[in-house]
Amino acid sequence: MPGTVDGRVSTRITPELRARLRESAERTDTTATPDSGALAELRRSGLLATAVPRAYGGAGGTATDVNRVVEQLAEVNPSVAIIAFQHFAVSARVTEWGTPEQHARLLPGLADGSCLAASSWSETGAGAAKQNLASTAVRQQEGGWRIDAAKSFTTGAGIADLYLLLVRTGPVPATEGSGYGAPGQTFFLVPADVPGITPDLGLDLVGMRGSATGLLSFDGCVVDDGARLGPPGHAATIISGVRASGASLGAVSVGIGRAALNLALDHAQRRNLLDLPAVRHRLADLATRLESARGVVELAGARTTEDPGLTTLHSKVHASETAEEICLRAARMLGSSGYLTTTPLNRLLADARGISLMGPTNDLCRDILAASWPS
């Protein structure tokens, strides 16, 4: 089975795919458009099966496996890594909350790569906690739902085959909560070929330029009730389970940090700088920071702490800020050569910065963590 080795989930991408994704990252940083060829190779690689149960053709991977695959991808191409991370997240939500019919219909395609999934939660005015949604799904007399939504910062816009869409189906709550999502919100699994969906990749991002992160418009899209994921109004419960799963965006940051450290080490070796104790010590400090970030991401994936959801939030904040710091320090070590636009470190720094802004944003993570403390 693709994606497994001797019955275990493979967490290593092939050298050929690594080379293809690395070259793609360099090119899409200039073009700011997704690389269809690289994404086609990702679909064929078997890696997308990681989070799907074996009963449906998947690899049956755990959160630890997801984090390791994502880290490997991010080391060579952070944009593709976040596309894969979103796919894994949707695959897990379908597995956890889907009906038997949804399992049979969706999971095999999510495993074999013929169905690439993406999340579409953010929208202008909703806030980082996604508590003030304007997007709606209204139940129709014939039993289906009419969806009207304008979503922003959707990774995989226009390239995904399936969107996990967050909309409001009930009354707006009178007061905001302290978590992520709100009562009256529902998830829908909307195929990309439903009439009324319009993607717009006009966002000019500083980093993650190959991630197809853009806008999505859902204009009077009609889906049947089989597109609904979970009970109506229970999206916030599903979201809280995402954190508890242990799959962490911090894994993307660990991959970015590894790539930046390797660039700094390569520079020091080529310039014969490793004989200098000061250089060795600075590199050792960066390596130690990287290992601390990897350690907390591994801890999140293992789900062995008292509250795995909080550990996942800690891992995202710590790893993302660590990766950004590693990129900055590595760039300083390169001196004037690190100030050239052609230096990969500048791309990695922009990519690292983006993780802190992805949901839940680092500031929202801090708010949720603080809310867990005893009053």
Side-chain angles (χ1 to χ4, degrees):
M1 178 188 299
T4 64
V5 177
D6 297 331
R8 302 187 309 275
V9 177
S10 172
T11 61
R12 294 289 177 183
I13 62 178
T14 65
E16 294 78 15
L17 183 58
R18 285 178 66 89
R20 179 70 176 86
L21 293 179
R22 181 178 286 109
E23 182 274 332
S24 174
E26 295 172 357
R27 185 172 62 257
T28 57
D29 187 51
T30 300
T31 64
T33 57
D35 185 338
S36 58
L39 292 172
E41 291 193 31
L42 176 68
R43 288 176 184 260
R44 292 192 295 266
S45 69
L47 293 172
L48 294 181
T50 301
V52 177
R54 291 180 181 175
Y56 296 94
T62 64
T64 295
D65 298 312
V66 167
N67 290 341
R68 289 176 179 171
V69 169
V70 169
E71 178 188 336
Q72 291 287 317
L73 291 171
E75 186 177 347
V76 290
N77 194 315
S79 289
V80 169
I82 62 169
I83 290 172
F85 183 87
Q86 295 296 337
H87 177 86
F88 296 146
V90 176
S91 298
R93 302 296 81 72
V94 174
T95 299
E96 294 169 356
W97 290 90
T99 64
E101 185 277 331
Q102 288 172 329
H103 287 170
R105 173 166 52 89
L106 298 174
L107 290 177
L110 293 170
D112 67 21
S114 61
C115 180
L116 181 66
S119 297
S120 189
W121 300 7
S122 298
E123 62 184 63
T124 302
K130 313 295 186 292
Q131 292 180 345
N132 299 296
L133 297 182
S135 298
T136 61
V138 178
R139 193 186 292 272
Q140 306 297 286
Q141 287 187 349
E142 57 272 24
W145 298 81
R146 175 192 167 106
I147 297 174
D148 291 282
K151 293 297 185 178
S152 61
F153 291 98
T154 296
T155 295
I159 63 170
D161 305 293
L162 181 71
Y163 297 110
L164 179 60
L165 180 67
L166 180 65
V167 295
R168 178 167 51 83
T169 55
V172 178
T175 58
E176 295 184 7
S178 59
Y180 202 161
Q185 295 175 355
T186 304
F187 278 120
F188 286 85
L189 294 159
V190 184
D193 59 1
V194 169
I197 300 178
T198 305
D200 179 359
L201 295 181
L203 294 177
D204 192 9
L205 303 181
V206 172
M208 299 294 184
R209 290 170 63 79
S211 64
T213 297
L215 312 174
L216 276 178
S217 174
F218 297 78
D219 186 11
C221 298
V222 177
V223 297
D224 61 33
D225 197 51
R228 175 173 47 81
L229 181 67
H234 279 239
T237 301
I238 297 176
I239 292 171
S240 66
V242 174
R243 294 195 300 273
S245 73
S248 172
L249 270 169
V252 179
S253 298
V254 172
I256 294 172
R258 168 60 63 186
L261 177 60
N262 286 341
L263 286 170
L265 180 59
D266 179 68
H267 173 82
Q269 290 173 330
R270 286 187 291 103
R271 299 294 181 92
N272 298 315
L273 299 176
L274 291 180
D275 290 337
L276 301 174
V279 173
R280 294 199 305 273
H281 293 177
R282 286 159 70 183
L283 287 168
D285 283 344
L286 296 186
T288 300
R289 287 173 179 264
L290 179 63
E291 286 306 303
S292 73
R294 176 179 286 114
V296 73
V297 169
E298 288 279 335
L299 187 62
R303 302 184 69 251
T304 55
T305 59
E306 183 177 351
D307 191 328
L310 295 182
T311 305
T312 302
L313 295 176
H314 283 300
S315 73
K316 198 255 185 182
V317 173
H318 178 58
S320 60
E321 299 204 346
T322 297
E324 193 168 353
E325 182 64 22
I326 290 173
C327 289
L328 282 169
R329 293 194 177 199
R332 294 190 188 110
M333 292 183 66
L334 267 63
S336 58
S337 64
Y339 202 56
L340 300 174
T341 59
T342 54
T343 301
L345 264 171
N346 293 312
R347 167 172 53 81
L348 290 171
L349 177 58
D351 290 344
R353 178 184 170 196
I355 301 299
S356 68
L357 302 173
M358 295 179 187
T361 66
N362 281 9
D363 282 347
L364 179 57
C365 288
R366 293 182 177 99
D367 285 340
I368 298 173
L369 288 167
S372 70
W373 299 340
S375 58

